[in-house]
Amino acid sequence: MNNLYKIRYVILLVLIAILCQTPLFAQTMASNPVLWLDAPDPSIIRVGNNYYMVSTTMYFNPGVPIMKSTDLVTWTTVSYVYDILSNQDETNMLNGKSMYGKGSWAASLRYANGYYYVYFFFLIRPIKHIFTELPI
């Protein structure tokens, strides 16, 4: 009787191993880095079954990418918060000026009452920006 239990136990383990390989039970394996891009200061929220992320773009335009995922592994850039934040010598790289090391920093993404909000600080002009009409 003891051998019969061992055989049943081995068969059960084999069946569990087979079931775990099926798509129903298998989980997506992620490896680092998840994103092959420079996305500092990420701000991530969940709305329904979707996750949204924004990050700092500093001196790059368009600025503050909006990314979307359903599994926190596969991300797609769906839009940007702005094309050009301001029309001045630094942002247009005119008259020997640039906004290297300046621009948008530490974007924060929130969702409330059907609206998405992005808040960040702009280092060329010491002002804060809040966007609500986001192309998500």
Side-chain angles (χ1 to χ4, degrees):
M1 195 79 166
N2 196 7
N3 284 338
L4 184 59
Y5 285 116
K6 288 180 182 177
I7 292 171
R8 286 182 181 172
Y9 181 71
V10 169
I11 291 172
L12 180 63
L13 288 177
V14 169
L15 287 174
I16 290 173
I18 291 170
L19 282 175
C20 288
Q21 298 301 317
T22 63
L24 180 62
F25 294 99
Q27 293 185 2
T28 303
M29 183 64 96
S31 61
N32 286 325
V34 173
L35 296 173
W36 287 90
L37 55 91
D38 185 14
D41 308 322
S43 178
I44 302 172
I45 62 170
R46 181 178 176 191
V47 179
N49 293 327
N50 296 312
Y51 297 93
Y52 297 93
M53 175 172 59
V54 295
S55 72
T56 294
T57 49
M58 295 172 274
Y59 46 89
F60 294 111
N61 288 310
V64 186
I66 303 170
M67 294 165 269
K68 182 178 180 180
S69 175
T70 56
D71 59 8
L72 292 174
V73 175
T74 309
W75 290 91
T76 304
T77 301
V78 293
S79 190
Y80 292 87
V81 173
Y82 63 86
D83 291 322
I84 296 175
L85 193 56
S86 67
N87 189 15
Q88 57 193 63
D89 287 351
E90 288 90 345
T91 56
N92 295 321
M93 295 177 31
L94 297 173
N95 299 318
K97 296 183 179 183
S98 75
M99 57 185 228
Y100 182 80
K102 300 175 185 173
S104 64
W105 287 84
S108 178
L109 178 63
R110 297 292 180 261
Y111 178 81
N113 301 320
Y115 289 96
Y116 295 89
Y117 297 88
V118 173
Y119 169 87
F120 61 87
F121 186 75
F122 188 52
L123 287 176
I124 290 178
R125 293 188 204 165
I127 58 175
K128 298 162 189 74
H129 292 272
I130 299 175
F131 288 82
T132 58
E133 298 292 325
L134 301 176
I136 294 179

